[in-house]
Amino acid sequence: MIVKALAFGACLVLAGCTGASGQEPVKEAAGRFLGAVASGDHRSACALLASQARESWAPESCEHGLAAAKVPGGTLETTSVWSEEAQVKTARDTLFLHESSAGWLITGAGCRHRNEQVYDCAVGGP
């Protein structure tokens, strides 16, 4: 499933950026998600998805949908945080996250930059 979504762009720049210390929880959440996907633990990976991303596979289960999505792994390279939204990049993937009452959750994964403002995501979207 490919979701076309607008990138965070100027609206997030206006929200203000967070310093390096605010990036650690984002990096940890992204690392846990990518680690679970890489090890085939799709149940744990699904638990780290925001509800709209997790529910996009109805009536299929999240675990089957995530396995089929083939999210690329990789080492975290860059992290950007804007208030309650974040973006993490690896060499082969871009992930989007949102801070909820449960912590940082993945809203988009397997995202590829299509043009200046649009990402196509295999899981959810920005």
Side-chain angles (χ1 to χ4, degrees), residues 18-79:
T18 304
S21 64
Q23 293 180 355
E24 288 310 312
V26 174
K27 290 178 182 180
E28 290 172 12
R32 282 192 315 270
F33 175 79
L34 290 174
V37 169
S39 69
D41 185 359
H42 297 115
R43 178 173 294 202
S44 293
C46 285
L48 296 168
L49 291 174
S51 61
Q52 72 271 20
R54 188 175 49 252
E55 294 166 359
S56 65
W57 285 293
E60 288 184 59
S61 73
C62 178
E63 291 90 3
H64 290 112
L66 191 55
K70 298 182 180 171
V71 174
T75 303
L76 305 182
E77 293 185 352
T78 62
T79 303

Side-chain angles (χ1 to χ4, degrees), residues 73-75 77 89-93 112:
T75 303
E77 293 185 352
K89 291 186 177 187
T90 71
R92 301 179 324 176
D93 192 7
R112 301 231 185 264

